[in-house]
Amino acid sequence: MNPYQQDIHQVASQLQLPQDGNILITGATGLIGGTLVDILMMHSHCAVYAMGRNSQRAAQRFEAYWQNARFHFIEHDVCNPLTLDVDFHYIIHAASNASPNFFQQSPVEVMKSNLTGLCNLVEYGMKHQLRRMVYVSSGEVYGEGDGSIFTEQSSGYINILSPRACYPSSKRAAETLCASYCQEYGVEIVIARPCHTYGPYFTENDNRVYAQFIRNALKGEDIVMKSKGEQYRSWIYVVDCAAAILTLLMKGQSGEAYNVANAESNITIYQLAQKIATLCQRQVMMDIQEGGNTTPITKAVFSTRKLEQLGWKPLFNMDEGLEHTIRS
């Protein structure tokens, strides 16, 4: 059992989980979705339906459960209506292209998955015994911010005509859509807003900064930074993140949003690089080009008071989470 699997058992033993019915996890082969499946398969009696677009990747990721009678994989793109006849009593919608390369290459598809995908799932759920849903949004809904700590009432500037705005703008609109379904149709939907999340099993194409750093370090390469890495952010280990989302499924207030972060894991990108380099016995090298450090210092720090009032707390600090990610 690797460190990540040990962490799953440790966290799940303290969670209240659904023990009957069917639960659908979209984006199941993604970082957060895969961890949700792992927790539910190890510590719940629900039938788990994992939805993703790549059955080959799913077969590798969920090899341990592939023949389990409680596990079902559905190869499907949430942008298309569901044509099943299965009652999903719970849905956690974690399907979204969160990797920055998608924002440049496929902004239309990013927006469709966040908006059309949500509509398809809620409309299906309303006809098939849906009790409760968690929509996995993003801390990017807060925009640029003004340097203060993000609470659930914060709202910052987004340049809506920038192609990169496809992600935060559609996440904002999807949250409004959730609140609208709650108001008009009485659907139970809770919104999770994770900060920057890290953990094992990221894909080779994932170009989020932590994935790039770990991938390079595990190849025996030094980490080369093209900027000073002064951006200051909240981070959370994916096992703690998944536990928070499951807490929201069971205890969150419908129509409300909750920040998901580890208040003790606020560091700069440069500090992140140093931590990963130290764990992998590599070095951080600076290769700052003239004019290449014009990005202003950004601060994206989350208040988690609202989530903690439900009884959740993170179990792993950043050093532990990064070490377990690398060892797993």
Side-chain angles (χ1 to χ4, degrees):
M1 186 179 293
N2 66 36
Y4 164 82
Q5 292 167 326
Q6 293 173 352
D7 298 341
I8 291 290
H9 284 286
Q10 180 180 347
V11 164
S13 65
Q14 303 180 28
L15 286 175
Q16 176 186 350
L17 297 172
Q19 297 296 331
D20 68 315
N22 302 326
I23 183 166
L24 172 67
I25 310 295
T26 71
T29 59
L31 181 66
I32 295 174
T35 304
L36 289 165
V37 171
D38 287 336
I39 293 175
L40 290 164
M41 285 303 300
M42 293 182 189
H43 295 276
S44 171
H45 297 295
C46 282
V48 177
Y49 290 78
M51 180 178 289
R53 294 179 296 176
N54 188 325
S55 59
Q56 183 176 358
R57 173 168 168 73
Q60 294 173 345
R61 178 63 178 83
F62 303 124
E63 181 181 6
Y65 322 125
W66 204 252
Q67 302 301 324
N68 190 307
R70 283 201 304 117
F71 178 83
H72 311 268
F73 178 72
I74 303 170
E75 187 170 15
H76 184 77
D77 186 332
V78 294
C79 292
N80 300 319
L82 281 72
T83 57
L84 308 170
D85 190 22
V86 179
D87 290 340
F88 294 128
H89 305 99
Y90 305 97
I91 297 175
I92 301 179
H93 182 23
S96 183
N97 291 321
S99 187
N101 59 341
F102 285 111
F103 306 160
Q104 294 297 325
Q105 298 170 8
S106 307
V108 171
E109 286 70 26
V110 169
M111 295 198 73
K112 283 184 175 180
S113 67
N114 286 335
L115 291 169
T116 308
L118 175 64
C119 282
N120 287 335
L121 291 169
V122 178
E123 295 286 344
Y124 182 91
M126 290 168 59
K127 300 173 184 176
H128 292 83
Q129 308 300 317
L130 179 65
R131 301 172 190 168
R132 177 161 269 234
M133 178 179 189
V134 174
Y135 175 64
V136 181
S137 182
S138 168
E140 291 219 22
V141 298
Y142 294 125
E144 293 183 6
D146 59 3
S148 59
I149 294 175
F150 293 141
T151 69
E152 285 78 3
Q153 287 72 45
S154 300
S155 181
Y157 172 74
I158 293 173
N159 177 8
I160 59 174
L161 295 183
S162 165
R164 196 200 178 284
C166 64
Y167 187 70
S169 292
S170 57
K171 285 292 190 182
R172 280 185 173 183
E175 288 196 16
T176 303
L177 192 55
C178 288
S180 300
Y181 272 113
C182 293
Q183 172 68 25
E184 186 171 348
Y185 297 105
V187 184
E188 291 262 328
I189 308 176
V190 186
I191 298 164
R193 293 176 180 164
C195 67
H196 292 274
T197 306
Y198 65 93
Y201 304 117
F202 53 84
T203 67
E204 186 64 29
N205 296 324
D206 192 334
N207 71 335
R208 283 175 287 189
V209 64
Y210 92 91
Q212 293 185 58
F213 290 167
I214 291 177
R215 192 181 295 118
N216 291 346
L218 289 179
K219 289 179 180 177
E221 303 170 357
D222 290 329
I223 296 173
V224 179
M225 297 195 63
K226 301 294 185 179
S227 73
K228 293 182 180 179
E230 295 172 318
Q231 300 94 328
Y232 189 66
R233 297 172 173 174
S234 288
W235 291 83
I236 189 168
Y237 180 41
V238 69
V239 177
D240 280 327
C241 180
I245 290 169
L246 288 164
T247 298
L248 295 179
L249 181 69
M250 302 303 292
K251 300 179 180 179
Q253 179 67 40
S254 179
E256 295 282 329
Y258 295 80
N259 287 339
V260 177
N262 185 336
E264 303 301 320
S265 294
N266 301 328
I267 62 172
T268 66
I269 299 298
Y270 178 75
Q271 290 171 322
L272 174 68
Q274 287 282 16
K275 285 179 179 292
I276 293 172
T278 298
L279 287 167
C280 296
Q281 298 182 320
R282 307 311 304 170
Q283 293 183 322
V284 176
M285 312 295 291
M286 308 300 289
D287 184 22
I288 302 175
Q289 306 296 322
E290 184 175 352
N293 192 36
T294 57
T295 302
I297 298 174
T298 58
K299 180 179 179 181
V301 176
F302 294 57
S303 167
T304 55
R305 179 177 301 176
K306 187 174 179 180
L307 173 62
E308 290 170 358
Q309 288 175 344
L310 300 179
W312 173 88
K313 64 178 181 179
L315 297 185
F316 305 96
N317 63 39
M318 193 145 198
D319 289 335
E320 292 169 331
L322 286 172
E323 180 187 357
H324 294 184
T325 295
I326 290 167
R327 287 174 55 200
S328 299

